[in-house]
Amino acid sequence: MAALILLLALRTYEETGVAHARSYGTLHTAEATITKLTSHTTSGRDGGGQDGGSGDWIVTTKYTIELRVGDETKTVDGVPNDPANNLQEGQRVEAGLWHGRVVEIDGRDVWPGWHPGGWDITLVVLYPLIMGYLIALAMTAAAYLAGLGGRVRWERQHRLGPWGFGFVVGVAAAFVLIVCAAFGNSIAYWPAVPLGAGTAAALVGLRGAFRRARATQVADTSGGSAPAQV
């Protein structure tokens, strides 16, 4: 789990940094030469039948572009047809770099971003698990701090309700982002949004549980009973 969290954090930082640099024009630029241009074509039908697609035959072409930048050779995979249009081997171009990685070629976006391949698809599929785990960690830390000094002792089952509420809020936020992305409105730092919303909701619920536990403890103490163990 620690490895998945670290990988998700690194990918989020990477995509956010690239998007920020492109938006503000702070990419490092360098003269480059295209040394190799390779196309990869796939074909198949667009759904149809129970899938609800059109059933049309679709041909998709993507490119692998190899460039020589100074004394280094850099490779960009999965470049769509439009950004690669009219590029040729031996052509001199201007490469936009982010921490040494090719993001633009002659002003065209060739950075793959979040894509359904490699580790990205793994992170997307496992994101609910990662989010739930991080929300639980945040709640555990908050419950520990609230319990310092013997004010309230928390049992795991009493944190389940707030955690469940936070998880549902996080999943709902992720669903909203998916719908927005379907209409072309996506954000590079999307993993932080459901996680932040879910954690905030869980902590609000935990605060309510803490107040109820304190009220119960005070009532029991006033009635001469032993303090409630919550």
Side-chain angles (χ1 to χ4, degrees), residues 22 27 94-97 102-111:
R22 293 193 69 241
L27 292 174
E94 183 180 75
L97 307 174
V102 179
V103 175
E104 293 182 351
I105 297 178
D106 278 348
R108 308 176 190 181
D109 181 17
V110 295
W111 181 254

Side-chain angles (χ1 to χ4, degrees), residues 5 21-22 42 46 87 98 100 105 118 139 145-146 160 172 200 210 213 217:
I5 293 172
R22 293 193 69 241
T42 58
D46 178 26
L87 294 180
W98 182 81
I105 297 178
M139 289 187 58
L145 293 175
L160 185 60
F210 175 76
Q217 185 179 37

Side-chain angles (χ1 to χ4, degrees), residues 19-43:
H20 183 275
R22 293 193 69 241
S23 297
Y24 289 92
T26 56
L27 292 174
H28 172 68
T29 57
E31 293 294 322
T33 302
I34 298 177
T35 56
K36 191 174 182 180
L37 188 65
T38 307
S39 64
H40 311 274
T41 302
T42 58
S43 58

